[in-house]
Amino acid sequence: MALGVAWGVAVGVAVGVAGGVAAGVTLGVALGVAWGVAGGVAGGVAWGVAGGVALGVAWGVALGVAWGVAGGVAWGVAGGLAAGLAAGLALTRLVDFGVGVLTVALLSVRARWKSKESRARLSLWLPYRHHDLLYFSLPGLRSFLVDLADEDPVIARERIAEASASIGQKRPAREALAELTARDFERAARNRRFDAITSGQLPFTPAPKTEGVSGPILAVLTASADLLASQASLSHSRKRKSLEAAEERLVREQQALTRSPRLTFEERRLQRTLAVWRQVIAEERVELERNAAAQPQVPTPFIAGPILSTRDRQLFRGRRDLVELIDHDLGDDRRGVLLLFGQRRMGKSSLLNLLPTQLGARVVVVSSNFQRLSGEDDRSRPDLVVISAIAKSLRQPHGSRSDGWSGSLAWLENLDRVLERDSRRLLVTIDEVEKLETGRREGWVGLDFLDFLRAAGDQLIATRFLLSSAYRPSRLGHDWSDRLISALPRELGPLDPDSARSLLMEPEPGFPDIYPPGGVDRILERTGRHPFLLQLVGDKLCFHLNSVGRLKAAEEDLDWAFEAARSTASEVFDELWTQRTPEEQSLLRDTVREGKARKDCETPRRELERDGFLTSDGRIAFPLFGEWVDGQR
């Protein structure tokens, strides 16, 4: 900087003086002549034209020289300072960058000569740790950080974090982290350590549920969970499904990267990681097919308990008549709220989940679930919870929050007019709506939402609400029956005999005949064609056959499956049991013991029949449940 200022002053003075004198003389002569002539004429003949010219020239030269020198010096100093500062800063940046590059290079070379512990110690001298005037990324820094991670991952994470917070080293820090993440993923895949990824044990990979994770990293995290499930399963078919799910996620992400016009360093690096993972999956599939050929197993397609998704829709049997009824209820000439009720695990949530695939494109299905309503910020205003779900699904601006549920209804009316104009229908499903009654008893919500539903059912044309509950309105209380008096009830009961039989015999294409003679009929009778119990017994039987190495069941295998299913379903049975009144529980015990319900218990018997616990002739509808009841005495 000193050198720049000196040069600037010298050059500025020289140029300024020379230019100033020249400009001053020229300007002075011109002005002097003008002023002298004018003054001479005005002042009289005594001075004369010659004297005026001489004085004007002399004055102009003196003034021009003075102004030129002063202006030249000032401009020279200012220009010199500016040029000096610019040159000094540029030189400083250049020197800093050169020193930084040299420092990183020397640290890297020295680290290769010293012991493993030295790289962490040498990293203390990384330039960006001592001042933040490095505006350019340092070549070699990414490699240094990556090598440091091999020796001390903890220190490496600290240095990467420091580089990420600096001005000029964000890019090498980001690229070093991407390289280390890719290496962690690839090592875990080659070593089949998928558990290390799902448990967040690797130093440079995010935890599976970290917010903001997307792209290739999210694809690998999700695939690792599928591959871990494949490792843990003893079933060939479940292993195969897990491997297929992992492969599908990775392929989808690879295709997305292929379509991208320009990839970042991180994306290019992780693209190679995806290829490594797909190769590992291919090796796992080859090994699986080899084992399947050497040790054949019964497929295990049954799913007992979890809600069925579109991936599992082949297991959703029957209910077509109910779907057609719901479709009919969405007609232009229909009004009112739809109410779907049935016992726990009867398939209500699965039906709601699969409605979008069964109602066609003209019906937009928006799903909401009140199971976790008590944890919602707007739990006292369930209308806002539902409106938020609709707005998010349809990508519409949110309605007013200040006018109570009438504001939500007004927002829906505007949307309803648009849907009607476009000949579309909106079906809003609300699962486990009975949680409202829990909230009412606990005091954190009122029954205004039921008024909102009744008004919406009366006024909206293209929008309908479908409520799902384990209870009929009469069992929830008088307030529910009164407010939902115009609701259209639809009951979900056991599967019809043909659907139940097809579920057992062909849960997936090519399923083998694994049942003993009469075995299917025994299962239908003991389960009462309850879809959850059907899937549960089928799953237990397949698992048992594979564990004992047989491909076809005997009577004792079926007995084992019944016992295992009854034990597994004890929590579900206990929930069904606690929903009944003491009088109904007493009648159920007597019915199990005597084989048939007494006729003198008219009210509890009628309620149990209406809710599907007793058949029309007074017998236990689900013998497996009856056996559990018998065991509770």
Side-chain angles (χ1 to χ4, degrees):
M1 185 179 292
L3 182 60
V5 171
W7 275 102
V9 171
V11 173
V13 170
V15 174
V17 170
V21 170
V25 170
T26 303
L27 182 61
V29 169
L31 291 175
V33 170
W35 289 351
V37 171
V41 172
V45 179
W47 287 95
V49 174
V53 170
L55 182 61
V57 170
W59 176 255
V61 169
L63 186 61
V65 169
W67 283 2
V69 170
V73 170
W75 281 103
V77 170
L81 283 173
L85 285 172
L89 288 174
L91 184 61
T92 299
R93 295 288 180 267
L94 184 61
V95 170
D96 281 346
F97 180 68
V99 171
V101 172
L102 181 60
T103 302
V104 172
L106 289 175
L107 292 177
S108 299
V109 171
R110 185 173 177 82
R112 288 181 173 82
W113 288 351
K114 296 293 183 178
S115 64
K116 287 185 177 181
E117 293 74 19
S118 66
R119 189 176 294 273
R121 188 170 63 253
L122 292 172
S123 71
L124 296 172
W125 297 98
L126 287 170
Y128 64 84
R129 300 191 71 249
H130 300 282
H131 66 82
D132 203 14
L133 295 178
L134 291 168
Y135 285 82
F136 305 102
S137 298
L138 293 173
L141 178 59
R142 183 183 74 203
S143 299
F144 184 91
L145 294 172
V146 170
D147 292 340
L148 174 61
D150 289 336
E151 298 173 4
D152 194 328
V154 176
I155 296 297
R157 287 182 65 90
E158 293 178 3
R159 300 295 175 261
I160 290 174
E162 293 167 352
S164 298
S166 69
I167 294 177
Q169 310 312 312
K170 289 181 172 59
R171 183 172 61 81
R174 188 173 61 248
E175 293 178 355
L177 183 60
E179 175 66 32
L180 294 170
T181 299
R183 290 188 183 188
D184 275 356
F185 280 150
E186 291 168 8
R187 288 168 184 162
R190 292 189 178 105
N191 296 326
R192 305 317 193 252
R193 287 296 314 279
F194 307 115
D195 60 319
I197 297 177
T198 57
S199 61
Q201 296 177 10
L202 301 181
F204 298 100
T205 60
K209 294 184 179 180
T210 302
E211 293 185 4
V213 176
S214 60
I217 292 180
L218 179 60
V220 172
L221 290 175
T222 308
S224 66
D226 291 323
L227 291 169
L228 183 62
S230 174
Q231 282 183 329
S233 178
L234 299 176
S235 165
H236 295 331
S237 62
R238 293 196 184 278
K239 282 179 176 290
R240 191 174 292 109
K241 288 181 179 179
S242 296
L243 292 174
E244 290 172 354
E247 173 82 3
E248 180 182 335
R249 289 183 174 89
L250 298 178
V251 169
R252 189 163 55 243
E253 187 58 37
Q254 278 189 322
Q255 291 173 345
L257 292 176
T258 303
R259 291 191 298 268
S260 178
R262 186 175 181 180
L263 299 179
T264 63
F265 171 87
E266 296 93 317
E267 290 172 332
R268 290 196 304 273
R269 182 61 186 88
L270 290 167
Q271 195 174 36
R272 299 202 302 271
T273 301
L274 295 178
V276 171
W277 273 64
R278 289 194 62 189
Q279 178 60 37
V280 168
I281 291 175
E283 294 170 0
E284 289 291 301
R285 295 179 78 163
V286 170
E287 180 67 17
L288 172 60
E289 298 309 323
R290 184 183 299 116
N291 292 337
Q295 299 176 336
Q297 287 185 349
V298 172
T300 55
F302 297 102
I303 299 177
I307 300 173
L308 298 181
S309 65
T310 54
R311 183 191 298 274
D312 315 309
R313 58 180 174 270
Q314 79 279 355
L315 291 173
F316 188 79
R317 301 300 171 89
R319 315 302 194 195
R320 189 61 213 173
D321 57 339
L322 185 56
V323 173
E324 292 176 353
L325 194 57
I326 292 173
D327 190 36
H328 173 71
D329 290 338
L330 296 176
D332 296 341
D333 58 339
R334 310 288 286 181
R335 294 288 190 278
V337 175
L338 309 179
L339 177 62
L340 178 69
F341 64 91
Q343 293 178 11
R344 297 288 186 190
R345 305 297 179 92
M346 193 61 78
K348 299 183 299 297
S349 298
S350 294
L351 173 62
L352 299 184
N353 209 29
L354 295 172
L355 275 179
T357 65
Q358 303 195 37
L359 290 178
R362 80 179 186 95
V363 180
V364 179
V365 180
V366 175
S367 301
S368 188
N369 194 321
F370 280 4
Q371 182 181 29
R372 294 178 293 275
L373 181 62
S374 61
E376 295 278 358
D377 293 337
D378 292 321
R379 66 179 187 173
S380 63
R381 289 281 308 277
D383 59 294
L384 293 179
V385 176
V386 174
I387 291 299
S388 296
I390 297 172
K392 181 178 180 180
S393 178
L394 299 184
R395 299 180 181 179
Q396 296 288 326
H398 199 286
S400 172
R401 303 174 61 91
S402 59
D403 300 330
W405 64 259
S406 61
S408 297
L409 182 59
W411 183 85
L412 269 179
E413 288 175 334
N414 291 330
L415 177 63
D416 193 71
R417 284 191 287 270
V418 175
L419 292 168
E420 186 181 11
R421 183 192 63 202
D422 296 339
S423 299
R424 292 192 297 163
R425 292 291 178 268
L426 172 63
L427 179 63
V428 183
T429 67
I430 305 177
D431 203 3
E432 301 208 35
V433 74
E434 64 268 19
K435 295 299 180 182
L436 281 174
E437 181 63 19
T438 302
R440 190 183 70 84
R441 291 196 301 267
E442 295 176 356
W444 48 263
V445 70
L447 291 175
D448 290 348
F449 184 68
L450 296 181
D451 294 327
F452 165 76
L453 290 175
R454 182 171 61 181
D458 293 340
Q459 299 179 32
L460 302 179
I461 297 175
T463 304
R464 303 295 295 279
F465 284 87
L466 172 58
L467 313 182
S468 173
S469 173
Y471 306 93
R472 288 177 284 108
S474 60
R475 290 191 69 86
L476 290 172
H478 173 73
D479 292 327
W480 286 74
S481 299
D482 180 53
R483 287 171 169 79
L484 297 180
I485 191 171
S486 60
L488 302 176
R490 306 301 181 203
E491 184 175 7
L492 194 69
L495 292 178
D496 63 89
D498 291 339
S499 296
R501 187 177 296 274
S502 71
L503 175 61
L504 287 175
M505 299 188 67
E506 196 175 13
E508 66 179 15
F511 188 76
D513 180 11
I514 64 172
Y515 306 102
V520 172
D521 292 328
R522 283 189 64 194
I523 296 175
L524 296 180
E525 188 272 330
R526 294 284 291 278
T527 62
R529 306 192 308 278
H530 192 298
F532 167 68
L533 297 178
L534 283 170
Q535 299 253 23
L536 185 59
V537 171
D539 185 60
K540 293 299 182 182
L541 182 60
C542 292
F543 174 82
H544 178 67
L545 290 177
N546 290 333
S547 65
V548 297
R550 289 199 294 271
L551 299 178
K552 195 172 182 67
E555 289 295 328
E556 57 268 23
D557 298 317
L558 202 52
D559 291 336
W560 185 95
F562 286 137
E563 180 64 30
R566 186 169 61 248
S567 175
T568 302
S570 60
E571 291 186 6
V572 177
F573 291 156
D574 184 68
E575 186 177 6
L576 294 174
W577 177 256
T578 55
Q579 293 173 2
R580 313 319 301 178
T581 65
E583 294 79 10
E584 292 166 354
Q585 291 176 353
S586 177
L587 180 59
L588 281 172
R589 290 194 189 95
D590 293 343
T591 302
V592 170
R593 183 176 61 254
E594 300 171 7
K596 205 167 185 179
R598 301 194 314 271
K599 294 183 178 180
D600 58 343
C601 301
E602 182 178 352
T603 299
R605 175 172 174 164
R606 183 175 62 252
E607 289 296 310
L608 291 172
E609 287 183 8
R610 290 180 63 180
D611 289 345
F613 286 87
L614 294 178
T615 62
S616 58
D617 60 354
R619 300 182 184 278
I620 294 290
F622 313 112
L624 278 179
F625 174 61
E627 294 166 14
W628 178 87
V629 171
D630 188 50
Q632 303 308 300
R633 291 186 299 175

